[in-house]
Amino acid sequence: MTVVHFRWRARLMASLAMAGLLVGCATDAGEPTPTTQPTPTTEAPGEPALADGEYFGFVTVGRDESGEITLGVDLAEMLTGEEAREAAVEAGDIEEGEDLPNDFFIANPDIVMELVDIADDAEITVISGSDTSQSITVDAVELESLYEGTYSGDAVYGIVAGQPIVMDLVIEGGVVTEAHAVYLP
């Protein structure tokens, strides 16, 4: 897809700006502050936005010009342990010698939104609001309703309407075949 529906892009930009995106910060250490503005991109004709593989990032949900549900994916890196603590110190989120809350840090120095289609049979899971050790399987329409705040199914943990969803993704053949919400304490 080479054309991005303007209304979807505008909503995506607004939601990312409002979300603060946990850019370069430990998620439990106060209000995150983005360091850059997101830049939605489109792929050249015939080329997928992201190569096949496994990814971690912030996901927004919208529809393209044809009405198909599309994910906006801002790739990031989840760090743990000493690497996470050092990155948090370097980012200025904690002082040298301080412990990192929850022992993780999400590094996202450049906010770039890649638009990716979802496979018709994609495996999509979110975290149960009644038992965070359990997943709830949803389809693309339900994921969109969760993102928009119109979902009326079982309680879900960690998804706030209009805010990017932290997810692990698998891309095969240029489309998302798996999308799993990530638990962040």
Side-chain angles (χ1 to χ4, degrees):
M1 123 189 13
T2 57
V3 178
V4 178
H5 190 270
F6 176 75
R7 198 172 337 154
W8 190 85
R9 183 189 311 195
R11 274 189 34 204
L12 177 136
M13 297 289 286
S15 70
L16 289 173
M18 289 174 30
L21 275 187
L22 306 174
V23 176
C25 67
T27 60
D28 197 39
E31 288 299 313
T33 304
T35 56
T36 60
Q37 290 297 313
T39 305
T41 62
T42 58
E43 66 277 9
E47 291 185 34
L50 295 172
D52 289 358
E54 297 180 8
Y55 297 94
F56 169 82
F58 299 97
V59 174
T60 58
V61 186
R63 292 192 180 248
D64 65 16
E65 68 280 354
S66 71
E68 292 295 316
I69 295 173
T70 303
L71 299 183
V73 179
D74 176 29
L75 299 179
E77 184 177 12
M78 171 80 85
L79 304 173
T80 60
E82 184 59 22
E83 184 179 29
R85 194 194 66 73
E86 288 174 8
V89 168
E90 187 175 313
D93 287 356
I94 62 172
E95 298 293 322
E96 186 64 51
E98 274 187 78
D99 287 333
L100 183 63
N102 296 323
D103 194 41
F104 71 89
F105 183 85
I106 297 175
N108 188 8
D110 299 312
I111 302 171
V112 178
M113 193 61 54
E114 301 291 351
L115 301 177
V116 186
D117 291 329
I118 304 173
D120 291 337
D121 60 348
E123 178 184 318
I124 305 169
T125 61
V126 295
I127 301 166
S128 169
S130 59
D131 180 354
T132 57
S133 69
Q134 300 295 313
S135 293
I136 299 171
T137 300
V138 297
D139 61 24
V141 172
E142 290 170 314
L143 184 64
E144 178 185 39
S145 69
L146 279 161
Y147 180 73
E148 292 178 343
T150 59
Y151 179 74
S152 60
D154 294 333
V156 172
Y157 172 85
I159 297 179
V160 177
Q163 306 256 340
I165 304 166
V166 180
M167 300 189 96
D168 285 325
L169 304 168
V170 175
I171 296 179
E172 296 174 348
V175 298
V176 174
T177 58
E178 294 182 35
H180 305 288
V182 174
Y183 175 78
L184 297 178

